[in-house]
Amino acid sequence: MTGRPPPKEERDLDRWVQEATEGWRMPPLTQDRDPLAGTDRQ
Amino acid sequence: MNDMQDGARHRDIEAAYSSYADDVYRLAYAILHDRDDAADATQETFVRAFHRWDRYDPDRPLRPWLHTIVSRVAFDQLRRRRVRWLAMPVLAERSAMSSEDAYAGRDPGSSVPRRQAIEEALEGLAPVARAAVLLRHRYGYEYTEIAGFLGISVSNVGAVLTRARARLRAQLDDAPVMQEERA
């Protein structure tokens, strides 16, 4: 079966996944982790 | 590209990074389940976005475009990691040990026991399933979009999500904190 779950179940999962993944955040940048390292920044 | 265009592109990418680094990181982390690897994949995603910026259509939302790139980057990284582990099994053991602190950046705001139960349930999923759950239940993408990000068919997205939800629900049904919430 590949159907979507009932709306309440879907909403519960939305809320739980939101909570559980809130702390998954990019750590602060350091000099060796610059998003544009190697792009000849002006 | 002249200096002026290059400078404008850097500013655009820096603005994109400020707005979407965490969203990109979350998908990388869902796939790789390792903080350092996810941070590397996030950085690589923005470097690729910089080089491909002329292919981005500014009339379309930026986050899905970045999610497409990070999905490719992270799955490539996952494949390379598996090859390394096959070649050097000791690396797999070390990685398993270091993943114990994988959730050190937790958000202190919400109900901690419940969040931990959900995190542990997510941890038990395969990378594709964890990514599909994140993309659907955190970001609300349609199945067709998720299929595009993950490089699988729409029916496969449905099957992966159905199995993942059943597994999450079974695991959460067994978690004491969830039973208390229902009581």
Side-chain angles (χ1 to χ4, degrees):
Chain A
M1 193 186 87
T2 60
R4 288 157 171 74
K8 169 150 187 348
E9 190 181 336
E10 180 109 359
R11 279 199 308 273
D12 281 348
L13 275 168
D14 288 351
R15 185 163 50 91
W16 294 341
V17 171
Q18 182 87 24
E19 255 178 44
T21 60
E22 195 51 38
W24 296 7
R25 289 174 182 271
M26 180 68 178
L29 290 172
T30 54
Q31 273 194 326
D32 63 333
R33 186 165 278 144
D34 178 337
L36 296 179
T39 60
D40 296 327
R41 185 197 304 269
Q42 296 299 298
Chain B
M1 188 165 34
N2 64 37
D3 285 355
M4 200 178 288
Q5 287 171 318
D6 200 19
R9 186 178 288 205
H10 272 110
R11 282 193 295 279
D12 287 343
I13 289 289
E14 280 172 346
Y17 187 88
S18 297
S19 301
Y20 296 112
D22 287 340
D23 295 321
V24 168
Y25 175 86
R26 281 190 190 99
L27 182 53
Y29 186 77
I31 294 166
L32 293 161
H33 205 239
D34 177 281
R35 297 177 74 204
D36 287 339
D37 286 356
D40 287 346
T42 301
Q43 179 181 0
E44 173 65 20
T45 296
F46 283 94
V47 170
R48 286 195 196 183
F50 175 86
H51 289 297
R52 296 173 190 179
W53 195 243
D54 50 359
R55 292 188 225 166
Y56 167 63
D57 174 357
D59 292 333
R60 301 178 72 106
L62 183 54
R63 194 176 64 195
W65 189 66
L66 294 170
H67 272 157
T68 303
I69 300 175
V70 70
S71 177
R72 309 265 151 81
V73 169
F75 279 114
D76 282 350
Q77 210 166 312
L78 191 64
R79 274 187 286 274
R80 283 199 303 274
R81 186 203 285 171
R82 283 174 176 159
V83 169
R84 275 202 313 274
W85 286 358
L86 283 173
M88 297 184 69
V90 69
L91 291 177
E93 283 168 32
R94 278 161 86 190
S95 172
M97 284 163 67
S98 69
S99 71
E100 283 170 11
D101 72 340
Y103 294 109
R106 289 168 174 162
D107 164 34
S110 56
S111 154
V112 172
R114 183 174 70 188
R115 199 192 56 229
Q116 279 175 359
I118 300 160
E119 282 183 358
E120 280 165 20
L122 284 171
E123 209 173 326
L125 298 177
V128 169
R130 208 164 34 233
V133 166
L134 178 86
L135 291 166
R136 177 66 189 171
H137 290 290
R138 184 176 179 108
Y139 293 108
Y141 287 117
E142 294 299 327
Y143 285 21
T144 47
E145 295 175 289
I146 297 171
F149 296 143
L150 302 181
I152 59 180
S153 68
V154 175
S155 60
N156 213 344
V157 170
V160 165
L161 279 171
T162 299
R163 280 197 300 271
R165 288 177 186 127
R167 190 165 170 171
L168 288 174
R169 190 152 291 281
Q171 212 164 327
L172 292 171
D173 280 348
D174 289 342
V177 63
M178 304 305 271
Q179 289 171 356
E180 283 164 24
E181 278 198 15
R182 276 190 298 272

